[in-house]
């Protein structure tokens, strides 16, 4: 009984971590794609409003 609870908690934590990593990678790809469209390279400064 206690073992199945522990296994359930561990799998839930692993699943949550994987979903969070996937969402973060998806957002990073979108930001990089948008930056490439506007000619901004990763790690470079952007001028912003003057």
């Amino acid at each position: 009984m206690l073992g199945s609870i522990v296994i359930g908690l561990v799998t839930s934590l692993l699943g949550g971590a994987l979903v969070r990593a996937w969402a973060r990678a998806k957002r990073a790809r979108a930001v990089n794609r948008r930056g490439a469209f506007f000619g901004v390279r990763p790690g470079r400064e952007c001028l912003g409003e003057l």
Side-chain angles (χ1 to χ4, degrees):
M1 174 94 175
L2 184 62
S4 62
I5 293 173
V6 170
I7 290 172
L9 287 173
V10 169
T11 56
S12 294
L13 289 172
L14 287 174
L18 288 173
V19 167
R20 185 172 180 153
W22 178 78
R24 189 172 185 173
K26 183 179 176 183
R27 176 159 168 74
R29 282 192 307 269
V31 168
N32 288 336
R33 204 170 38 242
R34 192 177 312 126
F37 177 79
F38 288 109
V40 179
R41 293 193 173 103
R44 303 287 300 251
E45 287 190 31
C46 183
L47 292 177
E49 293 185 35
L50 295 176

